[in-house]
Amino acid sequence: MKRFSTQLFVLLFITQLFACGGGGGEEDSNKASIANVAPTTNAGSDQTVNEVTTVSLTGSGTDSDGTIESYSWTQTDGNPVTLTNANTATATFDAPSTLVQLTLTFQLTVTDNEGATATDVIAIMVNPVNVAPSTNAGSDQTVNEVTTVSLTGSGTDSDGTIESYSWTQTDGNPVAITSADTATATFDAPSTLVQLTLTFQLTVTDNEGATATDSVIITVNHADYSVNVVFPKVSSLTDNDSIIIRGTQGQDVENLSVNGTDVDRITYQTEGFWTVELPLAMGENAFNVQYSAGNDNITLDAIDVKRVGIAVTGTRQIAKNDDDGSYYIYDDGTKSILHRTADGTNTSAIYQFRIEDFPNDDEFRDELKEDPPEGMVLSEDGSLLYYWNDFEDTFRVMAITLATGTLTELYGPDSAGYIDYDVNDDTNMLLDTSRGTAGQILLTRYRKDEPPIFYDIALKSIIEMDFPDLQTITASSRSFYRSVDYKDDNTLIVLFAKDDTQETYTAEVELASCDVAPCDFSNILQVTTVNDGCQAMTESYNKYGYHQASHSVVYYKYPKLCVLDIANQTISDLEPQLNDLGAVSNNLSQFNVADNELIFDSGSSANLQQLHYQLAANFPSVNLSAEFKGPDLTIGDATLSPTTPREVVINSDDNLLYWLDRKNTGLSAAQVHSLDLANNSWTTLGSYPSVSFEIATYNSVSSSLFVYNDDSSSDEEVFEIDVDTGDYTVLIGATEKATIAYPNFNVDSMALDEANQILYLARQIDFSDVPANFGRFSLLAWDIEKKVLTDVSPIVDITLPENVAQNNFYANYDMTFDPVNNQVIFYGTSYTLWAVDVTTGARRVFSAQDVQGGPDISNTRGHVIDIDNNRLLASSQDHESVFAYDLDTGERSFVSTKSIENGINLQQPIGIDLFKDDQVSVVADERIDALFMVDNLTGHRLLIQNQ
């Protein structure tokens, strides 16, 4: 404010001077020169700059009579910009982005210390200059075939925007690019068996048309999308209520499931397999395997598994439920209590008794007093099955609760007043609900002159019947009760025999009289009439069945099945009538009488079904009617039905298996059948008359089968069969046999060392040719390439201490070669497996019954080496199972026991071979002329061929 007042004073003063005329002379002139001089300014030189650059406006100002107090930059023309430091001599701004030349005008105003101002203008010409964009096509990738690959790129433009993207393929197998005009494109990697390299280029264009490119390399690998079902391999049949399907998968497979259920990859991860357990409905079941192979969702061909009711392999006892007509069966084959519906269409398991001694079940069996029933009867309300057994050679009465399968001991050594009774085997118990407060059970005793006994259910005690002394009737001290049954509700019919003679007696006992006095016999009759070659019942008979309606007794003693008509005192042979209806004579001893039925196991002729004969009141004088009951076990090719099945051999290379029929009785020729597992189809490779094929092995080098001829009358010992044509040649015959010592011999078995192309033959030399004290066994080696036969383990003196065990020593049925230990192994004699070193000829016991632990060795008919698991697999006819020998120790362990949980039991296994990579065995069964497939990991069994 002070400065402003001073300026005003000066101005008034000057005005006054001028008003006075300025007549002051020189002094006045000097006073006028102190007036303010305006400042001067320079905005700088005009500039030409590029767009999007920082421009400096550098101005200046001077004041000759003072100082510059302020600067002010302002834009006076052109595209507006923002000035920085506009109140200083030097200001800046960012040149705008432009596609055309621009002119921007800026004015600089300076003000001096007296308030005077000066201005100057500068022009800035802005030229358009485009900066090319940049782009990144992403990192190189390695992907699997048949997958969707993403190409993820980017672009930037420092002076503008990215207007477009474009993906193109510049190298490699052509593919179709999706969304190629966006930053992220995709394509499907092609299917390939070899590694591929694909190159793609991304081009970006900015808003001024400038472009940039970058490339990315995609390496496409062959992926492992393989999925294989290894069990079951073909359409199959089981009596289990579930199936464990097992398979393999490639490392790149995803979302693997069967019928929508995810597979278990953990349980057998070490072995390299997945599994899934799925329920089975009765009848046909189809299972579909689904998985993702990259982008593809794959469904394999359906796996077909047929479920039937449990097969009964050895009916020993039957109790019939009068209310619904169903049957409770003790099956000696599976050691199980089974329940079968009245029509026979469905059979289910109630309880399976412990059937194996290895692993040791003693503790479990002791706890439950568990032993199979010798006789049984159903309770009145159908909730309990009473039975008796001879656990630890001690008589016991037991009960099984049918709803839960719980065992209970009712009478045994711990019972008050216990007596160890000898009760007749295979004679049904009989329930009399009218006796006692809860009923009594009748049992027939075994020892001579010992009358039957009653077990009182309520009292849990035994009541001995007071019968007459049989000696007073038979006049013999050796008289035996054979059968006691009910003629009617109050009358027993008693059968007894004198010693082992033809004298058989029947008598009746009124039970009401026994309650007040000793029992007495009435209607005593001696059977004297013998018809149709049937003998009267004697002491040695042990299978009986009483038919109440006809008052007759069925009984068996080899070779006859007979019936005693008590009323008419006649005996007749039933076999002719039975055979007319399909019974098999060698199963006549396996019968039961239940209500009005005579029931037999029909055996192999009807695939383990039971034959039910309906008995009328006038049986046996009228013809019988019959029907089969039980599951239909037929599976596979209906035209294929070998009569004497033997070895089964696997050709893994071609996914085939071969099955020998020793001699088809209808053709009088040996046959070889082939199953193509890929399409589940059978063909007959050839029929070969005048030979008996027993053992075979497959040689992948020559694509041929070596087959041993078991016809002892022929010198043609080994045949070679071309598996492509079925043609055969004699590989080892009389000419070859003549090249070695002791040429009169028969081959017992053989084994192939495929790596070295040596076929080993176990032989027995003719008795007459063997020197005194020498055994008949030696091991021969046939060099397949050189066609030379040599003796690698000659006969030995069996009187020498080290050879005594080799007396009567020979290879029994199947022999196998162990390439790890360079030895052949076979079942010899005296429950022993032997090994022969093929290099030194030395013989040793590989596994002995009482030395190494595990299942009984007896009658192991088939053998195959499982190198991956260091074991020898064996099919056992005694155990009706598959077990394994440890190759180092000879210890034995079960692979597939005869438990009903594992499926239909092996009946009489004879040959076995192995899909080594899959741990699946195929077993031939000579009883039912069938082929089984066995999962060596789970123990499960399936029928794959049975007609």
Side-chain angles (χ1 to χ4, degrees):
M1 180 63 75
K2 180 179 179 179
R3 183 178 179 184
F4 174 79
S5 299
T6 303
Q7 291 174 341
L8 180 61
F9 174 79
V10 172
L11 178 62
L12 293 174
F13 178 74
I14 294 173
T15 304
Q16 186 177 5
L17 287 178
F18 279 103
C20 293
E26 180 178 345
E27 182 177 343
D28 292 338
S29 177
N30 290 336
K31 289 180 181 179
S33 65
I34 66 174
N36 183 40
V37 178
T40 62
T41 185
N42 186 348
S45 301
D46 293 342
Q47 303 179 48
T48 299
V49 299
N50 290 331
E51 62 176 330
V52 198
T53 58
T54 299
V55 183
S56 293
L57 301 176
T58 305
S60 62
T62 59
D63 187 14
S64 59
D65 61 349
T67 60
I68 299 299
E69 289 297 310
S70 67
Y71 294 84
S72 176
W73 286 96
T74 57
Q75 183 178 3
T76 58
D77 196 15
N79 292 32
V81 298
T82 300
L83 290 167
T84 302
N85 298 323
N87 59 352
T88 65
T90 301
T92 61
F93 71 90
D94 291 333
S97 174
T98 181
L99 298 177
V100 297
Q101 190 178 66
L102 301 176
T103 299
L104 310 181
T105 303
F106 299 90
Q107 177 179 281
L108 174 62
T109 300
V110 297
T111 303
D112 67 10
N113 58 323
E114 296 294 335
T117 62
T119 62
D120 192 21
V121 175
I122 185 174
I124 306 296
M125 185 176 292
V126 180
N127 288 328
V129 177
N130 185 36
V131 177
S134 63
T135 185
N136 186 342
S139 301
D140 292 344
Q141 302 179 53
T142 299
V143 300
N144 285 332
E145 61 178 328
V146 199
T147 56
T148 297
V149 183
S150 293
L151 302 173
T152 303
S154 62
T156 58
D157 188 19
S158 60
D159 63 345
T161 59
I162 301 298
E163 293 296 309
S164 67
Y165 295 85
S166 177
W167 286 97
T168 57
Q169 184 178 2
T170 59
D171 195 17
N173 292 33
V175 298
I177 303 175
T178 301
S179 301
D181 58 352
T182 65
T184 301
T186 61
F187 70 92
D188 289 336
S191 175
T192 180
L193 296 177
V194 296
Q195 191 179 74
L196 301 176
T197 300
L198 312 180
T199 305
F200 299 88
Q201 179 176 279
L202 173 61
T203 300
V204 297
T205 303
D206 68 9
N207 57 318
E208 296 186 34
T211 62
T213 62
D214 189 30
S215 293
V216 63
I217 295 174
I218 308 297
T219 301
V220 180
N221 286 331
H222 170 63
D224 188 355
Y225 294 133
S226 60
V227 172
N228 294 298
V229 175
V230 302
F231 184 86
K233 293 181 177 292
V234 292
S235 297
S236 310
L237 181 145
T238 182
D239 58 5
N240 246 337
D241 59 4
S242 66
I243 178 74
I244 296 179
I245 299 171
R246 183 163 61 84
T248 61
Q249 69 173 87
Q251 63 180 0
D252 302 306
V253 170
E254 296 179 340
N255 306 318
L256 180 59
S257 65
V258 182
N259 281 21
T261 299
D262 291 342
V263 302
D264 170 12
R265 296 181 176 88
I266 304 301
T267 302
Y268 294 105
Q269 183 177 27
T270 302
E271 293 84 356
F273 298 101
W274 55 261
T275 58
V276 61
E277 183 170 6
L278 296 170
L280 289 172
M282 283 293 182
E284 300 291 345
N285 296 263
F287 296 100
N288 292 294
V289 177
Q290 302 99 9
Y291 63 97
S292 298
N295 294 335
D296 295 339
N297 293 320
I298 308 296
T299 299
L300 298 183
D301 291 340
I303 305 164
D304 297 320
V305 180
K306 180 181 178 182
R307 180 191 169 192
V308 298
I310 295 176
V312 178
T313 59
T315 306
R316 186 167 174 181
Q317 297 289 335
I318 292 181
K320 192 170 181 180
N321 188 330
D322 293 334
D323 292 336
D324 60 12
S326 64
Y327 309 89
Y328 289 93
I329 302 169
Y330 171 62
D331 177 24
D332 198 41
T334 62
K335 299 293 189 293
S336 301
I337 300 292
L338 307 175
H339 179 244
R340 173 169 287 173
T341 55
D343 60 6
T345 57
N346 189 14
T347 307
S348 56
I350 301 296
Y351 187 84
Q352 182 169 32
F353 295 91
R354 295 287 157 162
I355 56 177
E356 310 295 358
D357 293 328
F358 306 97
N360 195 321
D361 288 331
D362 288 347
E363 181 178 349
F364 185 88
R365 294 179 68 246
D366 288 347
E367 180 182 349
L368 296 179
K369 309 298 186 292
E370 191 187 67
D371 218 37
E374 301 291 345
M376 60 190 195
V377 67
L378 195 63
S379 66
E380 185 177 19
D381 64 2
S383 65
L384 298 175
L385 188 68
Y386 297 109
Y387 67 94
W388 73 270
N389 67 25
D390 202 24
F391 178 71
E392 294 180 339
D393 297 322
T394 304
F395 169 73
R396 301 168 194 265
V397 178
M398 308 285 294
I400 181 168
T401 304
L402 297 175
T404 62
T406 304
L407 301 186
T408 305
E409 180 181 313
L410 303 177
Y411 180 82
D414 295 332
S415 301
Y418 172 78
I419 297 176
D420 186 10
Y421 293 98
D422 283 326
V423 178
N424 268 359
D425 297 347
D426 292 328
T427 301
N428 259 341
M429 306 164 76
L430 301 168
L431 176 64
D432 188 338
T433 58
S434 66
R435 296 181 62 82
T437 60
Q440 294 179 350
I441 298 172
L442 177 66
L443 300 103
T444 304
R445 286 200 278 174
Y446 177 75
R447 293 182 183 273
K448 64 181 181 178
D449 207 12
E450 290 188 348
I453 56 176
F454 279 103
Y455 169 73
D456 189 288
I457 296 172
L459 300 177
K460 296 185 178 180
S461 62
I462 298 294
I463 300 172
E464 295 186 7
M465 301 298 291
D466 188 1
F467 276 20
D469 186 353
L470 294 183
Q471 184 174 349
T472 62
I473 301 171
T474 64
S476 171
S477 62
R478 288 185 53 81
S479 298
F480 299 82
Y481 288 95
R482 304 317 309 139
S483 176
V484 180
D485 214 309
Y486 280 85
K487 180 181 179 182
D488 55 44
D489 290 346
N490 191 47
T491 307
L492 295 180
I493 183 72
V494 180
L495 285 83
F496 53 94
K498 175 182 176 181
D499 202 353
D500 195 12
T501 69
Q502 295 291 306
E503 294 186 23
T504 302
Y505 299 82
T506 65
E508 297 178 7
V509 175
E510 296 296 327
L511 284 173
S513 66
C514 297
D515 293 334
V516 295
C519 301
D520 197 7
F521 287 164
S522 62
N523 295 329
I524 301 173
L525 299 172
Q526 181 178 354
V527 180
T528 57
T529 305
V530 178
N531 294 324
D532 300 328
C534 279
Q535 299 177 346
M537 287 174 285
T538 64
E539 182 273 334
S540 61
Y541 285 61
N542 57 10
K543 187 69 175 178
Y544 304 89
Y546 177 71
H547 181 229
Q548 188 180 68
S550 64
H551 194 38
S552 57
V553 178
V554 179
Y555 61 97
Y556 175 83
K557 186 175 183 181
Y558 178 83
K560 293 292 185 180
L561 181 71
C562 305
V563 58
L564 165 64
D565 183 336
I566 297 175
N568 296 314
Q569 290 291 287
T570 59
I571 296 175
S572 56
D573 183 5
L574 276 180
E575 185 175 354
Q577 291 188 61
L578 301 181
N579 281 340
D580 287 344
L581 295 170
V584 181
S585 59
N586 63 4
N587 288 303
L588 290 178
S589 63
Q590 303 301 314
F591 74 89
N592 284 272
V593 176
D595 196 13
N596 288 315
E597 292 183 295
L598 175 62
I599 304 171
F600 290 87
D601 282 337
S602 62
S604 59
S605 64
N607 286 318
L608 305 180
Q609 290 183 319
Q610 280 61 52
L611 195 56
H612 289 240
Y613 294 92
Q614 304 305 312
L615 306 181
N618 53 353
F619 166 78
S621 60
V622 300
N623 290 331
L624 303 174
S625 61
E627 64 175 327
F628 286 105
K629 291 187 178 181
D632 178 7
L633 301 183
T634 56
I635 186 74
D637 190 332
T639 66
L640 182 67
S641 185
T643 57
T644 51
R646 285 298 185 265
E647 187 76 279
V648 58
V649 180
I650 290 171
N651 172 0
S652 296
D653 293 341
D654 300 318
N655 207 23
L656 301 170
L657 65 82
Y658 308 105
W659 192 17
L660 271 60
D661 188 353
R662 174 175 176 162
K663 182 162 285 188
N664 188 292
T665 54
L667 299 174
S668 297
Q671 288 189 306
V672 179
H673 307 287
S674 174
L675 172 62
D676 186 335
L677 292 159
N679 55 35
N680 197 21
S681 63
W682 283 94
T683 57
T684 297
L685 198 59
S687 297
Y688 309 93
S690 304
V691 295
S692 295
F693 286 165
E694 190 75 22
I695 305 291
T697 185
Y698 177 70
N699 184 16
S700 63
V701 175
S702 59
S703 295
S704 61
L705 286 170
F706 298 137
V707 186
Y708 146 54
N709 176 22
D710 193 40
D711 186 348
S712 60
S713 65
S714 172
D715 277 331
E716 296 177 343
E717 299 287 347
V718 180
F719 289 71
E720 183 174 12
I721 300 176
D722 186 313
V723 297
D724 294 323
T725 65
D727 296 336
Y728 75 94
T729 56
V730 177
L731 188 71
I732 300 174
T735 301
E736 291 74 23
K737 292 168 67 173
T739 63
I740 61 169
Y742 311 113
N744 295 322
F745 65 83
N746 288 313
V747 172
D748 284 326
S749 193
M750 63 183 185
L752 176 65
D753 174 2
E754 190 169 40
N756 296 300
Q757 288 294 283
I758 302 293
L759 183 66
Y760 293 101
L761 308 173
R763 67 164 175 167
Q764 281 197 86
I765 301 169
D766 190 89
F767 276 114
S768 60
D769 291 350
V770 177
N773 300 326
F774 274 75
R776 300 171 59 200
F777 171 85
S778 80
L779 183 69
L780 305 179
W782 172 256
D783 188 311
I784 296 170
E785 181 179 353
K786 297 178 180 178
K787 296 181 171 25
V788 174
L789 192 63
T790 56
D791 196 340
V792 296
S793 182
I795 58 175
V796 297
D797 185 345
I798 57 177
T799 63
L800 298 176
E802 65 270 22
N803 297 329
V804 170
Q806 297 179 40
N807 188 26
N808 296 322
F809 168 73
Y810 62 96
N812 191 337
Y813 194 67
D814 200 10
M815 180 169 72
T816 190
F817 178 71
D818 171 10
V820 174
N821 300 294
N822 216 30
Q823 61 186 357
V824 293
I825 304 171
F826 53 85
Y827 175 69
T829 53
S830 302
Y831 302 98
T832 304
L833 248 69
W834 286 82
V836 179
D837 188 307
V838 298
T839 302
T840 66
R843 309 168 185 183
R844 67 179 180 90
V845 173
F846 171 72
S847 186
Q849 176 72 24
D850 298 325
V851 178
Q852 286 85 358
D856 292 347
I857 292 176
S858 177
N859 217 7
T860 55
R861 303 298 300 272
H863 301 99
V864 61
I865 290 289
D866 179 9
I867 290 298
D868 290 344
N869 293 289
N870 195 46
R871 63 185 181 177
L872 169 71
L873 299 178
S875 56
S876 168
Q877 291 198 352
D878 276 8
H879 283 280
E880 298 171 350
S881 62
V882 175
F883 62 82
Y885 298 83
D886 186 288
L887 286 178
D888 294 330
T889 66
E891 293 287 328
R892 304 177 295 277
S893 60
F894 279 105
V895 173
S896 178
T897 68
K898 58 194 283 187
S899 169
I900 54 178
E901 295 179 352
N902 287 333
I904 298 171
N905 269 355
L906 301 172
Q907 300 300 304
Q908 202 167 322
I910 187 164
I912 184 172
D913 205 354
L914 173 68
F915 288 95
K916 295 179 175 60
D917 293 337
D918 300 335
Q919 282 303 299
V920 173
S921 296
V922 180
V923 181
D925 192 297
E926 64 178 336
R927 179 186 176 196
I928 58 173
D929 305 333
L931 276 183
F932 286 82
M933 189 167 284
V934 180
D935 188 326
N936 295 339
L937 296 184
T938 66
H940 279 221
R941 297 177 296 270
L942 298 169
L943 270 174
I944 64 171
Q945 176 65 34
N946 183 43
Q947 293 294 327

